[in-house]
């Protein structure tokens, strides 16, 4: 070896790498390896330079190195990083090698080297083979231990071959002793465990009692105990499930503790009492997780209709609840009571049609059913039930007054929303005009070719943001839904707030969405009004809706598109510079980027106009 | 007057206008008027310069002008156009007057002048008053004629006052004689008609018989005949409706011919036979217009249940049809038959739940109903009916096999769509790479600062479009839906087609939409699978769906957003020019502008993951 220190020769890295590339290309691995060690060049380069060539010449590489230590050095230095992309970039004249398979590089190299060494001489390369197991992305400690164990059982005959003792010592040098001990336990092979434990300088008083206790256990229970000790809960459950019924409570506890419900159900036959117990436990868990419907399904299928019914009712899963109730079977009066309860709940959730079905078919109370449908503005269905049960009197007493009420409320809804839309729109044009004025004033101050224009606009946007950065950081941990809500809040509609224009755009889009959404409801109301000769009201309502839609449609291009006031200044022209264009684009893109209300499309506007009652 | 011609004095317009403004501001209307007439300045300027001041000083204006001819000149020159915005822009130092009310300018001025003149001396200003009626946006010819008529009945006493004769002559000078004749007819006043006719040089042999015939008619019928002659059909119908029952067939004919159904219904009481006949005619019209449901409503409410039923059935408006059928009432076996027919139609329209309701409740065939629900994958409702009718046997024979079939079809659906998505996506990156390459090559050829870059890119887009301009013009008359379809067709997915990248983006968005749309259906299938212990299948399907969603979600930013390959070149930098920035923005905006599939949002992805059957 050369003497080190200040007098060490200076090597130009580019020259060295060029030299190394040549050596590797001509498969002079030994020379390259020596050079790299000397000059501390990362050994990964041997592979990275041309992975394909390396993998095709692994045997040459091993033969040339001809040293367990050197091979181990190479293996232990392996990293996922591609050194030709990071430390030693390829010059332009060096061709890029064909891309390698997606598998992890370290695993590929370890496997290739090990396979070759095992084919060449497993005894000789014993320690390197162990290294290749340990160095894999997920270290194969069990296999390495097994190999050591095999060495002890059948000591190698060749001279100079490594014995079990030495191999184990080497393993302990590579791997943390506690990891190795755990993994030896995980093989369920007590010889191996003892072998490791003896080398581990662990206190025999500590591990021997545990091992001795384990030895007395039945095999499956022994494996379970070990798995649990190693926190391999799925495996533990698997073994425990084979230990017979007397251990089932223990299994149930494990399942509950580790939430292994779904795996547990796979381990017991569906008709066993254990399966049922597990299903119930699972259902309890699901109820606690606010998933009562799924709990109900589990309870029902494992033959617990009573509890299933409870779960379905609390999930408002009324169809399932009724099935279970009729399977039990519940006596008619109780069924009616159940139906009435659920209907009430559904109606509270504005699921009027479903509630009405329950009242009509199960509680046999058509009057209540029709009244629910009228409350929910489900006019046609209300009418159907009235005729089906020959209760046309309800039409006069309830339906018609409700229709007139619905007419009034829809009229004022349209009036209010149209007025609000106009107000917001007017205010928006004022705000945009003010902004445009401010922008022009700023540009004027800077002169037309000022290179700082972009800088200014960036700075101003930063300032606008910083005002809210505090409140943002406060909510960063909340759910994304909350975050979006908070995001909207910061666009305040208050006059003069910094993002008032965006707030107005969102408010306008919201109104369009809301007004557009009542289309179906309005259509069915119009039909009902016409049926009962309320032509005047129908005509008025239809006209109001049409006008609202047309007004909003007419506003869309002005509010959202390029006709908007802020783009009146042309962005390109003889005087424009790169920065002025960018600045004006940045200015423009904000309002344009806001999406139009998704539901809205030009083709949907005339939907009502062919109706006859104009 | 000054002698005109080449020697006419030259006046600088700006100076003249400044002078005029001063005169108008100091209410010297006469001087201003003379000057404007001489120098041919549009008289509208008198009003436009300051509308508020003018309207407050109309009397001064009239007194100063003191000439019927001048007032008429001013009135006839009135236009909606604001001359201070077009011909004579306001200099910056002249303050903008307060804005005027939104009403039409011409109407405002005519009314103001007329009111003043009528207050001052209606006889003296007679002709100007007539002018002010005629010049309104909608000329008030009837009123003008009435005034002439009044003159004839009560000739003015004042000396030099205008007589009826002269006034009529003046009117004929202002208005086309036929218009005036028609309008005189429209007053239903035969004196007026004759007066105009005599002055009109019309042939008395032509109009006298018509007028004489009219005179013999009953008043309402006379008015109807005149209105019809003048093509005022609504008014004609209104008068005809008052002519008694014997004229109803004529009215019906008019309603049919002019499609005045809705107006006609307002003219007859709802319980009259005419109302019923009109309703039937209206219904026939609506059926011909493909609106059978609305026809049904009209027929039902006017007491034609048989025909209403037919209309409702053909509209698949089954709820209404059942109401009518039960009102008739149809005998039970016919009602069952009707329900069965409609159910079949609904099921053909994939409205399985509705069809099942008909079969269950009206045809009393629960077996068919359940089978329809199973066909439509409405699992929960199928189960409910099975339990309700105590037909759990169907679960084994039909429901379970259908569940397994649905599992298989959904699995292959997901497999196919995932594969197609991957294929399109791979192809998209190839296409974009090729485009980028082509673009860079083009830029290279032109040199980095070539000012033609923008031109080239525009030209190329024109070329791309021109390829389709022929086919576009062919379809321009089709409906917008067809046009959109055709629009999409021109983005061919065929490899190498010019807009292949856009076609691929649309295809990808479509797949995402389709896969996202089965969420609900899949959720209900999963619940049913779990209920019947098909845990393995449920788990597999859920996993496949989750993987598909995750894969597509992961692809979205790469495919649609700024990470896309084409934006790797930075758009601003030390070397960028205005044109290069514009070009690269134009290049980028196309793919970004394509909307993401509307239904898709990040928050919806984990909807299934909390389910228990992993």
């Amino acid at each position: 070896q050369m003497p080190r220190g200040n007098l060490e020769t200076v090597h130009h890295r580019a020259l060295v790498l060029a030299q190394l590339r040549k050596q590797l290309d001509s498969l002079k691995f030994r020379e390259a390896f020596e050079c790299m060690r000397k000059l501390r060049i990362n050994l990964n380069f041997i592979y990275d330079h041309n992975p394909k060539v390396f993998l095709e010449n692994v045997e040459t590489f091993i033969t040339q190195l001809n040293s367990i230590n050197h091979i181990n050095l190479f293996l232990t230095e392996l990293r996922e990083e591609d050194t030709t992309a990071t430390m030693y970039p390829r010059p332009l004249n060096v061709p890029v090698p064909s891309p390698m398979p997606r598998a992890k590089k370290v695993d590929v190299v370890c496997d290739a080297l090990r396979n070759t060494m095992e084919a060449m001489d497993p005894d000789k390369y014993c320690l390197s083979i162990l290294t290749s197991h340990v160095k894999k992305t997920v270290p194969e400690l069990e296999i390495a231990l097994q190999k050591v164990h095999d060495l002890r059982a059948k000591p190698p005959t060749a001279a100079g071959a490594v014995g079990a003792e030495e191999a184990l010592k080497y393993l302990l040098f590579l791997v943390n002793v506690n990891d190795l001990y755990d993994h030896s336990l995980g093989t369920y092979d007590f010889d191996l465990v003892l072998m490791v434990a003896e080398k581990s300088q662990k206190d025999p008083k500590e591990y021997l009692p545990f091992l001795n206790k384990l030895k007395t256990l039945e095999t499956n229970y022994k494996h379970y105990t070990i798995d649990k000790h190693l926190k391999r809960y799925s495996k533990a459950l698997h073994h425990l499930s084979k230990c017979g019924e007397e251990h089932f409570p223990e299994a149930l506890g494990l399942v509950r503790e580790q939430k292994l419900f779904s795996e547990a159900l796979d381990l017991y036959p569906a008709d066993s009492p254990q399966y049922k117990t597990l299903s119930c436990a699972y259902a309890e868990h699901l109820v606690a997780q606010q998933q009562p419907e799924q709990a109900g399904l589990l309870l029902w299928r494992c033959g617990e209709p009573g509890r299933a019914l409870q779960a379905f009712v609390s999930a408002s899963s009324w169809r399932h609840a009724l099935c279970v109730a009729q399977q039990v079977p519940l006596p008619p009066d109780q069924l009616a009571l159940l139906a009435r309860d659920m209907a009430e709940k559904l109606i509270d959730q504005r699921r009027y049609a479903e509630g009405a079905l329950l009242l009509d078919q199960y509680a046999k109370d058509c009057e209540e059913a029709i009244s629910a449908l009228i409350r929910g503005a489900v006019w046609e269905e209300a009418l159907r039930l009235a005729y089906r049960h020959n209760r046309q009197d309800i039409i006069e007493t309830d339906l018609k007054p409700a229709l007139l009420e619905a007419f009034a409320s829809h009229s004022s809804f349209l009036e209010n929303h149209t007025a609000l839309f106009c107000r917001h729109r007017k205010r928006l044009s004022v705000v945009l005009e003010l902004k445009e004025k401010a922008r022009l004033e700023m540009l004027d101050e800077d002169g037309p070719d000022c290179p700082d224009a972009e800088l200014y606009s960036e700075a101003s946007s930063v300032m606008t943001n910083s005002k809210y950065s505090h409140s943002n950081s406060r909510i960063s941990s909340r759910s994304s839904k909350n975050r979006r809500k908070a995001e909207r809040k910061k666009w305040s509609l208050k006059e003069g707030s910094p993002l008032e224009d965006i707030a107005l755009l969102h408010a306008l889009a919201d109104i369009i969405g809301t007004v557009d959404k009542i289309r179906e409801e309005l259509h069915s109301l119009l039909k009902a009004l016409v049926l009962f000769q309320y032509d005047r009201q129908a005509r008025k309502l239809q006209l109001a809706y049409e006008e609202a839609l047309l007004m909003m449609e007419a506003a869309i291009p002005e509010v959202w598109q390029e006709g908007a006031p802020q783009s009146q200044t042309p962005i390109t022209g003889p005087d424009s510079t790169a920065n002025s264009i960018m600045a004006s684009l940045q200015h423009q893109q904000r309002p344009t980027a806001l999406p139009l209300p998704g539901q809205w499309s030009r083709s949907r506007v005339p939907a009502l106009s062919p109706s006859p009652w104009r």
Side-chain angles (χ1 to χ4, degrees), chain A:
Chain A
Q1 252 198 341
M2 299 269 291
R4 291 184 158 258
N6 287 338
L7 292 173
E8 193 173 12
T9 327
V10 174
H11 296 271
H12 191 282
R13 171 161 285 188
L15 293 177
V16 171
L17 286 173
Q19 174 69 17
L20 282 176
R21 285 194 192 94
K22 262 190 212 151
Q23 289 172 346
L24 290 173
D25 285 342
S26 53
L27 305 182
K28 290 179 180 164
F29 291 115
R30 165 118 215 135
E31 286 170 35
F33 186 86
E34 293 289 355
C35 171
M36 288 164 89
R37 264 190 78 200
K38 209 163 64 192
L39 300 175
R40 296 189 201 155
I41 290 186
N42 191 308
L43 293 176
N44 281 281
F45 186 69
I46 297 176
Y47 172 83
D48 295 334
H49 170 61
N50 192 335
K52 195 159 166 281
V53 168
F54 178 83
L55 290 179
E56 282 163 359
N57 294 284
V58 170
E59 193 169 343
T60 319
F61 173 74
I62 291 169
T63 320
Q64 282 191 18
L65 252 58
N66 197 27
S67 151
I68 308 295
N69 280 338
H70 287 178
I71 296 173
N72 289 350
L73 193 63
F74 174 72
L75 283 170
T76 46
E77 218 175 271
L78 282 175
R79 298 281 178 281
E80 277 312 316
E81 176 186 346
D82 177 2
T83 53
T84 62
T86 53
M87 290 187 245
Y88 316 121
R90 225 170 242 117
L92 286 174
N93 56 345
V94 172
V96 177
S98 48
M100 287 310 293
R102 291 294 213 80
K104 299 227 172 177
K105 164 184 155 187
V106 173
D107 291 352
V108 168
V109 177
C110 283
D111 289 345
L113 255 69
R114 183 176 59 253
N115 290 337
T116 313
M117 290 188 290
E118 279 180 343
M120 287 166 76
D121 188 343
D123 287 344
K124 179 177 171 190
Y125 295 112
C126 175
L127 294 186
S128 296
I129 290 171
L130 291 180
T131 313
S132 75
H133 282 299
V134 170
K135 281 305 293 178
K136 286 194 73 168
T137 317
V138 180
E140 300 167 341
L141 295 184
E142 281 90 348
I143 303 181
L145 281 168
Q146 197 57 53
K147 286 198 171 154
V148 174
H149 188 56
D150 292 349
L151 279 181
R152 164 178 285 194
K154 245 191 356 185
T157 49
V162 176
E165 196 79 359
E166 197 182 338
L168 189 59
K169 258 189 190 160
Y170 180 69
L171 264 189
L172 281 167
F173 159 75
L174 282 180
V175 190
N176 175 297
V177 62
N178 287 322
D179 281 358
L180 207 59
Y181 176 75
D182 282 351
H183 276 87
S184 69
L185 256 181
T187 62
Y188 313 120
D189 181 339
F190 285 5
D191 286 355
L192 257 180
V193 179
L194 277 173
M195 189 180 85
V196 173
E198 279 162 8
K199 286 282 161 232
S200 71
Q201 300 175 313
K202 273 181 180 261
D203 185 358
K205 277 186 210 138
E206 210 178 276
Y207 62 83
L208 276 181
F210 179 61
L211 291 181
N212 286 334
K213 200 195 90 193
L214 282 177
K215 276 184 188 162
T216 62
L217 298 175
E218 180 269 333
T219 314
N220 276 317
Y221 198 76
K222 181 170 72 189
H223 289 182
Y224 153 71
T225 314
I226 290 172
D227 290 331
K228 205 178 155 195
H229 178 79
L230 297 177
K231 299 198 164 59
R232 305 193 299 198
Y233 297 110
S234 290
K235 247 185 175 169
L237 177 64
H238 199 84
H239 285 125
L240 186 54
S241 74
K242 295 181 189 157
C243 296
E245 283 179 32
E246 72 273 21
H247 286 295
F248 181 70
E250 199 169 353
L252 186 60
L254 182 65
V255 167
R256 279 217 172 98
E257 209 179 280
Q258 299 301 329
K259 309 207 170 16
L260 295 170
F261 299 104
S262 168
E263 276 156 302
L265 286 181
D266 283 340
L267 297 173
Y268 294 89
D271 52 359
S272 64
Q274 288 86 358
Y275 191 90
K276 190 165 174 172
T277 313
L278 283 168
S279 292
C280 291
Y282 197 175
E284 276 165 28
H285 170 69
L286 286 170
V287 168
Q289 298 283 307
Q290 312 292 339
Q291 299 187 300
E293 183 176 31
Q294 292 165 359
L297 291 172
L298 285 173
L299 289 167
W300 191 13
R301 71 179 204 176
C302 79
E304 282 280 352
R307 297 176 60 186
L309 182 58
Q310 232 180 333
F312 284 135
V313 168
S314 80
S316 282
S317 181
W318 59 273
R319 288 194 176 86
H320 284 140
L322 289 172
C323 292
V324 175
Q326 295 194 308
Q327 192 193 31
V328 168
L330 236 52
D333 56 327
Q334 280 192 39
L335 185 65
L337 218 61
L338 174 73
R340 212 175 266 280
D341 278 356
M342 287 197 292
E344 203 175 312
K345 234 172 117 184
L346 289 169
I347 290 168
D348 283 348
Q349 296 169 30
R350 312 177 66 86
R351 292 159 71 178
Y352 298 100
E354 291 165 273
L357 191 150
L358 280 168
L359 288 169
D360 177 37
Q361 293 185 25
Y362 293 85
K364 308 282 180 205
D365 185 344
C366 79
E367 204 161 318
E368 275 295 312
I370 297 172
S371 137
L373 291 169
I374 290 174
R375 266 179 67 195
V378 196
W379 313 112
E380 276 187 44
E381 181 74 359
L383 209 56
R384 181 180 78 84
L385 283 195
Y387 275 96
R388 182 164 158 75
H389 297 291
N390 217 358
R391 286 297 304 270
Q392 285 92 320
D393 58 313
I394 298 180
I395 295 175
E396 294 301 326
T397 55
D398 292 47
L399 185 66
K400 284 187 179 182
L403 279 177
L404 292 178
E405 253 174 59
F407 159 73
S409 77
H410 274 94
S411 296
S412 71
F413 169 90
L414 284 175
E415 215 170 288
N416 295 339
H417 278 73
T418 313
L420 193 63
F421 190 87
C422 291
R423 210 163 64 226
H424 282 345
R425 200 183 147 190
K426 227 176 257 169
R427 175 67 194 161
L428 178 64
S429 67
V430 172
V431 172
L432 288 178
E433 225 168 86
L434 289 175
K435 280 212 167 180
E436 177 71 8
K437 227 179 189 171
R439 200 176 65 91
L440 289 176
E441 272 168 18
M442 199 183 74
L443 284 179
D444 269 357
E445 279 170 27
D446 297 338
D449 278 294
C450 172
D452 292 339
E454 197 182 356
L455 256 170
Y456 271 103
S457 88
E458 265 174 42
S460 76
S461 75
V462 167
M463 269 160 54
T464 326
N465 286 335
S466 68
K467 191 154 182 190
Y468 299 98
S469 61
H470 175 63
S471 65
N472 263 344
S473 69
R474 244 196 319 137
I475 55 154
S476 61
S477 60
R478 286 189 224 158
S479 77
S480 70
K481 198 179 167 188
N482 275 345
R483 214 173 306 137
R484 248 175 298 138
K485 232 186 197 169
E487 190 107 329
R488 298 203 62 156
K489 263 202 188 147
K490 77 179 190 188
W491 308 321
S492 163
L493 279 170
K494 227 175 68 188
E495 288 204 2
S497 89
L499 297 178
E500 192 188 348
D501 51 345
I502 305 214
L504 285 166
L505 281 172
H506 273 273
L508 286 169
D510 279 353
I511 295 174
I512 292 180
T514 320
V515 169
D516 191 63
K517 225 185 288 169
I518 63 164
R519 187 183 301 270
E520 283 302 308
E521 208 180 323
L522 208 66
H523 187 62
S524 103
L525 175 60
L526 284 177
K527 284 195 288 185
L529 284 173
V530 166
L531 178 60
F532 294 111
Q533 309 262 20
Y534 297 123
D535 293 20
R536 193 179 56 76
Q537 287 88 338
R539 207 172 290 153
K540 209 172 140 193
L541 196 54
Q542 190 184 9
L543 204 68
Y545 193 53
E546 233 175 70
E547 274 170 5
L549 289 184
L550 284 175
M551 187 271 283
M552 287 171 190
E553 204 200 0
I556 285 177
E558 193 183 307
V559 174
W560 274 274
Q561 267 145 46
E562 293 155 339
Q566 74 271 24
S567 67
Q568 279 173 353
T569 46
I571 55 169
T572 48
D575 296 335
S576 63
T577 64
N579 285 328
S580 78
I581 295 174
M582 283 310 294
S584 73
L585 279 171
Q586 278 171 356
H587 182 81
Q588 273 181 20
Q589 270 169 350
R590 193 153 27 114
T592 326
L594 280 172
L596 266 176
Q599 299 284 33
W600 185 270
S601 80
R602 181 170 292 262
S603 66
R604 302 187 70 210
V605 173
L608 270 172
S609 38
S611 314
W613 31 83
R614 286 296 299 268

